[in-house]
Amino acid sequence: MTPISMNPLALCIAGFWQGEPSQPRRRFQGEVLTSSHTRIRAGEVVSVTFCCPQQRVMPCSEHGAYILKVQRTSFPLISFLCADITSPGPACRQDTALATWFALTTPEPATTRTGRRASSRPREQR
């Protein structure tokens, strides 16, 4: 059995956030420009949400997670940063305009919409 690689995989995404930062239904929408992930290809439409236990903006001492969704599969993100924002300040809060974003994800665990782990084998090998 081959061990699962835990090296992060990079995505470059053109997109923007919809909704106010304090809204639990706030969502990022975008299109993948480049990808080193074998299960996410350039041209695919993705969404990203920030999930936290109580579905609200949390204090900095508590943690949540960014989740990238493509088709029916979800991938937890290690990092999700805007390439067009180079310094902290007011520009950081203006993320509703189309911009380039970088995401780092791991190849697994991936879950389907039903909550089951998705197969790590490419479709043609199943």
Side-chain angles (χ1 to χ4, degrees), residues 32-48:
V32 177
L33 300 174
T34 61
S35 172
S36 64
H37 200 296
T38 58
R39 297 180 65 197
I40 303 171
R41 294 180 300 242
E44 289 194 277
V45 175
V46 297
S47 66
V48 175

Side-chain angles (χ1 to χ4, degrees), residues 22-101:
S22 60
Q23 293 178 338
R25 297 197 190 279
R26 179 173 160 92
R27 187 167 85 162
F28 176 89
Q29 298 261 133
E31 180 179 329
V32 177
L33 300 174
T34 61
S35 172
S36 64
H37 200 296
T38 58
R39 297 180 65 197
I40 303 171
R41 294 180 300 242
E44 289 194 277
V45 175
V46 297
S47 66
V48 175
T49 55
F50 181 76
C51 301
C52 58
Q54 298 170 357
Q55 291 300 310
R56 62 178 173 80
V57 175
M58 303 178 75
C60 60
S61 61
E62 299 179 38
H63 299 283
Y66 287 98
I67 306 295
L68 180 133
K69 292 183 182 178
V70 57
Q71 297 178 7
R72 295 179 177 250
T73 306
S74 298
F75 298 91
L77 295 180
I78 297 168
S79 175
F80 191 56
L81 301 170
C82 183
D84 298 338
I85 298 175
T86 57
S87 63
C92 291
R93 292 181 285 281
Q94 297 172 357
D95 56 6
T96 57
L98 183 64
T100 302
W101 290 73

Side-chain angles (χ1 to χ4, degrees), residues 72 110-118:
R72 295 179 177 250
T111 58
T112 63
R113 195 173 282 173
T114 61
R116 296 181 313 174
R117 277 183 77 108

